Amino acid sequence: MRTQTIRIAHLFPELLNLYADQGNLAVLTARARARGIEVKVVPIKLREPIDYRQVDLIMLGGGSDREQRVVSEALASYAPDLRHAIEDGFPFLAVCGGYQLLGHSYELTSGELLPGLQALDLVTKAGTSRLIGNIAIELPATLKLARSTVVGFENHIGRTEHAHQALGRVLAGHGNNGVDHAEGIFLKRVIGTYIHGPLLPKNPHLADLLLSYALAYRGDERTLEPLDDTMEWLAHDQMLARLNVARKERLEEGE
Amino acid sequence: MDVRSWIAFVVASVTAFVLRVTKRAGTSLPGYLATRISPNLLFYVLAKLDRCVIVTGTNGKTTTNALLKSLVAQDEAWISNAMGANLLQGILSALLPELTWRGQLRVKRAILEVDEATLPRLTQRFQPDMIIVTNVMRDQLDRYGEVDATLGYLYESTRDETVLLVLNADDPLAASLGKGRLNTFYFGLSDWPEDDLLRQEVRDGAFCLQCGGELLYTRTVFGQMGHYHCPICLAQRPFPQFSMRVRERQEEVEIHEEIRLQSPIAYRVTSPLLGIYNAYNLLAACSAARLLGVNPARFEAGLAQFTAPIGRMQTFPGNPPRILALIKNPTGATMVLRSLEGTLNGDPLCFVINDADADGRDVSWLWDIDMESFVLRSPHVSGWYCAGTRGADMALRLKYAGINPAQIQLLENAADTLKVNAEEGGSVYILCTYTALHPLANRLEAMHT
């Protein structure tokens, strides 16, 4: 079955929009349209219900501590359905604060514990300094994407730890906690990451991966036709060069 | 003066002299060296001031600073860091030329623009007579952490209630600094030509700081500016003692002044700058000038002497003329673009985006600029040019705002934007971040003189 429209639920945009999530939405929308697929963004305000039958992809961004506290207080009502959806392979993009909220809890510098969605087995604790700067990571080989690097910017005081597969191995920058060289999380069809900048413009392979996840969840297994991403890869490669990371291209593997 | 401070003073003075003789304008270098040698020197000099006004906030500091100086410095000299060097070393660099070898100040009044994150370090040891907060918005996130952190710095710096605090009432974040505080005055717009309800801007203060409720706006200006109230805890926009009415396409604005125990007065002022954001800067400057005792009858004469700081859309005459504008955060950039909407007529538009510390290393903010509205309303751009260390990021921003990639050209050097030509009768517009501003302005000066 070919899908005509991808519906993206943007969670709590009135609170969690610190790192230009509009940019991620703009990229997903434009890249879907270039393949003749419409995108409908459904903003879901805090305390409004999510109807999982009516959406194909969820995006959760980051906010300030104050805003994350407001969100955290209202998360309990979402948790059971969301856990179930993730288990079921529902595609999910969570960035910065959104990534932290997927876990058990976020412990602030003050010691205060903000409960998370408890959807993934990860915990976050505030550190003593912010981890800030440009970052490059290498994606797991199992993903088999045309390019294996992801670049962007990170800025977080939270140190996240988990035992799942990371989104990538840190080539330059800090990652989840600045210690174990892991960045983000990659589980079922969930991508959680500290990388913004925003994430998707300079990483078109990830954008297409999310789009194909959204299609696949509805049973549409098509391969997205390639687009002209000269400009995207130029920006990507410039950042790799700045970070002294060698450009990595995965060789096409036969079917 | 202690010995270290005196050594710092000597080193800074010699450095400033050498820079002057060799015609190299390193605005903060003398102050940088001096603060490295002695952190006390700055506070020694500040203590010598009779009067000190500090201008802080996210947008409009430099312009407000320059406007206020033009209003107050008609008869007497005032020191100011007019070049926008607003960290501790920049402030010291501005003060040092007026310090005599005997350790006295020749000019004892100063208007200082101070970076929000720097302000607490200043107010820890020195209390000015007045602090003006223009607004609190999203700036370069990596430097400030978050908007809340900025607000925290400002809150901490304004707790001494003997200091006169002048706040923007239309900005719920800036206005929150004055809650329950003595010696606090507000300014705000009472009427303006156009409300913008449909723009997709980032509203940084859209939530009530008292109770977390979503603020309701009866009118909006831009960003989170407007007439707001909280429907839950009933917190309201504070009453502004200084309110301004701006009319469509009129340079003349009207200020209504209503201070407790004084009879209300009104006066008209001719705005030397266009754009609704400059109305706020003018109002902030006029409010502060009134509180400093300047007669409004003298405002016109002062403003006639005003010259806009660099990067505020000056035209550098030539063929083609080139217009230079500083952009450094989403709201500021959106406002600059909005003011260009009606002006562009087949002209090329250049962006120079750097990511040094002073620019903000995180360029996420490019994606919070309301580029889409601009593209929808301004189809008459003949070419889009991007340069700077993050020129490629800007090019992507334009592509995803709907510009045909074939029309976007990535230039290798910032200076290449000065080679971009316009059609007969057209102009070239250059929007750039902070570290690109002065090099471009210097080259433009050289080209056109």
Side-chain angles (χ1 to χ4, degrees):
Chain A
M1 189 190 80
R2 282 177 83 82
T3 311
Q4 305 298 322
T5 306
I6 293 175
R7 299 154 301 177
I8 304 175
H10 186 197
L11 298 197
F12 327 136
E14 75 280 19
L15 288 153
L16 304 182
N17 61 5
L18 190 58
Y19 293 111
D21 300 315
Q22 286 302 333
N24 289 332
L25 287 171
V27 170
L28 289 173
T29 305
R31 299 185 72 83
R33 282 195 183 143
R35 276 86 170 222
I37 306 163
E38 266 309 301
V39 167
K40 197 175 147 211
V41 177
V42 188
I44 296 191
K45 286 191 170 188
L46 196 61
R47 296 192 176 79
E48 277 176 9
I50 307 169
D51 183 349
Y52 290 88
R53 290 163 308 177
Q54 299 294 323
V55 292
D56 313 304
L57 170 70
I58 291 183
M59 249 189 62
L60 184 59
S64 66
D65 279 357
R66 168 172 58 91
E67 290 161 331
Q68 254 171 261
R69 181 179 292 116
V70 175
V71 171
S72 170
E73 284 162 6
L75 279 183
S77 64
Y78 292 101
D81 283 356
L82 203 128
R83 268 199 298 270
H84 187 260
I86 285 177
E87 235 2 82
D88 191 36
F90 198 92
F92 209 112
L93 172 64
V95 179
C96 296
Y99 168 42
Q100 296 168 346
L101 287 172
L102 283 180
H104 294 292
S105 58
Y106 176 29
E107 190 181 327
L108 300 176
T109 320
S110 59
E112 188 188 346
L113 212 61
L114 301 184
L117 282 160
Q118 337 242 328
L120 303 178
D121 193 14
L122 64 87
V123 286
T124 305
K125 257 186 174 181
T128 46
S129 59
R130 296 191 79 86
L131 303 178
I132 303 180
N134 292 308
I135 177 170
I137 63 167
E138 179 168 31
L139 297 168
T142 47
L143 265 177
K144 294 187 180 153
L145 298 179
R147 297 278 298 265
S148 66
T149 45
V150 167
V151 296
F153 197 88
E154 61 181 327
N155 180 359
H156 50 108
I157 197 162
R159 309 297 200 263
T160 299
E161 293 193 16
H162 64 77
H164 298 290
Q165 163 147 262
L167 176 64
R169 186 174 61 85
V170 176
L171 300 171
H174 304 287
N176 282 341
N177 45 49
V179 179
D180 64 13
H181 304 292
E183 204 297 314
I185 195 166
F186 182 56
L187 185 74
K188 304 257 179 185
R189 291 198 181 102
V190 179
I191 291 179
T193 179
Y194 276 119
I195 301 180
H196 65 271
L199 174 70
L200 298 179
K202 286 199 290 292
N203 300 296
H205 50 337
L206 273 193
D208 285 354
L209 180 69
L210 283 164
L211 290 176
S212 58
Y213 278 175
L215 295 171
Y217 185 68
R218 295 295 171 207
D220 181 345
E221 299 283 354
R222 80 175 98 165
T223 315
L224 293 169
E225 61 261 41
L227 301 176
D228 179 359
D229 289 332
T230 318
M231 207 180 257
E232 284 79 353
W233 292 121
L234 179 72
H236 184 104
D237 289 337
Q238 280 185 358
M239 183 47 70
L240 286 182
R242 257 177 75 162
L243 294 171
N244 285 319
V245 173
R247 179 180 153 158
K248 289 183 184 172
E249 234 148 325
R250 202 171 295 288
L251 293 170
E252 283 295 322
E253 289 177 40
E255 291 291 284
Chain B
M1 205 184 317
D2 60 281
V3 178
R4 273 180 83 132
S5 294
W6 201 81
I7 296 168
F9 174 42
V10 172
V11 170
S13 302
V14 171
T15 313
F17 177 76
V18 172
L19 286 173
R20 227 179 8 256
V21 172
T22 57
K23 293 194 169 141
R24 279 177 297 178
T27 48
S28 292
L29 185 63
Y32 171 76
L33 294 173
T35 37
R36 287 300 293 270
I37 298 167
S38 165
N40 293 329
L41 179 60
L42 174 63
F43 296 97
Y44 171 85
V45 184
L46 286 172
K48 296 271 170 197
L49 288 171
D50 286 343
R51 265 201 165 167
C52 181
V53 177
I54 283 176
V55 184
T56 192
T58 311
N59 282 317
K61 288 188 285 282
T62 307
T63 304
T64 302
N65 184 316
L67 284 165
L68 180 55
K69 192 177 176 189
S70 76
L71 293 174
V72 297
Q74 297 185 52
D75 305 320
E76 52 199 17
W78 284 68
I79 301 169
S80 85
N81 51 343
M83 301 285 279
N86 56 23
L87 307 178
L88 291 183
Q89 59 257 36
I91 297 162
L92 186 55
S93 293
L95 293 167
L96 280 181
E98 305 301 335
L99 190 65
T100 68
W101 292 104
R102 289 165 175 272
Q104 298 304 312
L105 272 176
R106 286 183 206 99
V107 177
K108 289 176 172 268
R109 296 180 175 84
I111 308 170
L112 302 172
E113 167 188 339
V114 182
D115 176 86
E116 305 91 284
T118 299
L119 190 58
R121 292 201 285 155
L122 198 72
T123 53
Q124 253 170 23
R125 295 180 60 184
F126 168 75
Q127 292 303 332
D129 299 281
M130 183 192 289
I131 297 177
I132 304 165
V133 182
T134 56
N135 49 58
V136 182
M137 294 187 204
R138 187 171 300 202
D139 206 7
Q140 301 104 352
L141 295 163
D142 63 313
R143 195 151 54 106
Y144 292 97
E146 297 151 357
V147 177
D148 288 14
T150 309
L151 202 56
Y153 295 136
L154 294 174
Y155 186 83
E156 187 189 327
S157 308
T158 52
R159 287 314 94 197
D160 183 336
E161 296 191 9
T162 60
V163 177
L164 221 54
L165 186 59
V166 182
L167 300 173
N168 188 337
D170 294 352
D171 171 5
L173 293 176
S176 73
L177 298 167
K179 195 177 186 311
R181 187 187 183 281
L182 295 173
N183 264 324
T184 304
F185 291 84
Y186 295 92
F187 60 88
L189 298 188
S190 56
D191 193 18
W192 57 94
E194 187 197 5
D195 277 36
D196 261 311
L197 302 168
L198 298 172
R199 305 253 183 189
Q200 303 177 339
E201 277 177 58
V202 188
R203 284 197 203 290
D204 284 323
F207 286 81
C208 177
L209 287 173
Q210 321 297 335
C211 74
E214 195 168 354
L215 291 178
L216 285 183
Y217 282 79
T218 51
R219 294 200 61 187
T220 53
V221 191
F222 63 85
Q224 80 265 25
M225 307 287 161
H227 292 181
Y228 54 87
H229 63 276
C230 174
I232 295 168
C233 73
L234 306 176
Q236 277 191 0
R237 166 184 178 257
F239 171 80
Q241 289 86 355
F242 302 91
S243 60
M244 182 187 273
R245 177 190 288 243
V246 183
R247 288 199 176 85
E248 181 96 54
R249 293 180 196 284
Q250 280 190 19
E251 288 168 12
E252 197 178 68
V253 295
E254 193 180 297
I255 299 178
H256 182 85
E257 176 181 318
E258 198 170 334
I259 295 173
R260 247 167 76 122
L261 309 176
Q262 292 179 24
S263 20
I265 57 167
Y267 36 91
R268 285 168 190 277
V269 182
T270 307
S271 174
L273 292 162
L274 295 174
I276 194 79
Y277 54 105
N278 281 318
Y280 276 113
N281 296 332
L282 180 63
L283 179 57
C286 289
S287 310
R290 287 292 296 139
L291 293 167
L292 290 165
V294 180
N295 187 328
R298 306 203 59 202
F299 280 5
E300 288 293 324
L303 291 173
Q305 299 300 313
F306 170 81
T307 44
I310 202 95
R312 274 69 185 177
M313 306 265 259
Q314 284 95 341
T315 303
F316 290 84
N319 188 23
R322 293 186 171 85
I323 289 111
L324 189 61
L326 170 69
I327 54 170
K328 50 176 187 159
N329 51 42
T331 308
T334 301
M335 295 316 292
V336 166
L337 288 171
R338 195 177 299 178
S339 68
L340 292 181
E341 275 174 4
T343 319
L344 291 171
N345 192 8
D347 300 313
L349 189 53
C350 311
F351 294 87
V352 184
I353 307 298
N354 285 344
D355 68 347
D357 280 349
D359 303 297
R361 291 187 291 151
D362 183 359
V363 292
S364 291
W365 65 274
L366 297 176
W367 293 82
D368 283 330
I369 302 172
D370 189 4
M371 196 60 79
E372 283 74 10
S373 295
F374 176 71
V375 170
L376 278 178
R377 293 182 185 211
S378 287
H380 302 304
V381 175
S382 62
W384 305 76
Y385 299 85
C386 301
T389 51
R390 300 304 282 268
D393 283 81
M394 188 65 214
L396 278 181
R397 175 70 189 96
L398 293 174
K399 175 180 172 178
Y400 283 99
I403 307 295
N404 179 355
Q407 281 197 307
I408 306 169
Q409 215 175 318
L410 200 58
L411 303 173
E412 202 166 322
N413 300 306
D416 294 342
T417 55
L418 306 181
K419 295 178 195 150
V420 171
N421 258 310
E423 280 174 37
E424 190 61 37
S427 307
V428 179
Y429 291 82
I430 305 173
L431 277 49
C432 68
T433 57
Y434 188 77
T435 59
L437 180 66
H438 290 282
L440 283 173
N442 291 341
R443 278 168 175 272
L444 281 166
E445 297 263 357
M447 278 169 77
H448 295 300
T449 47

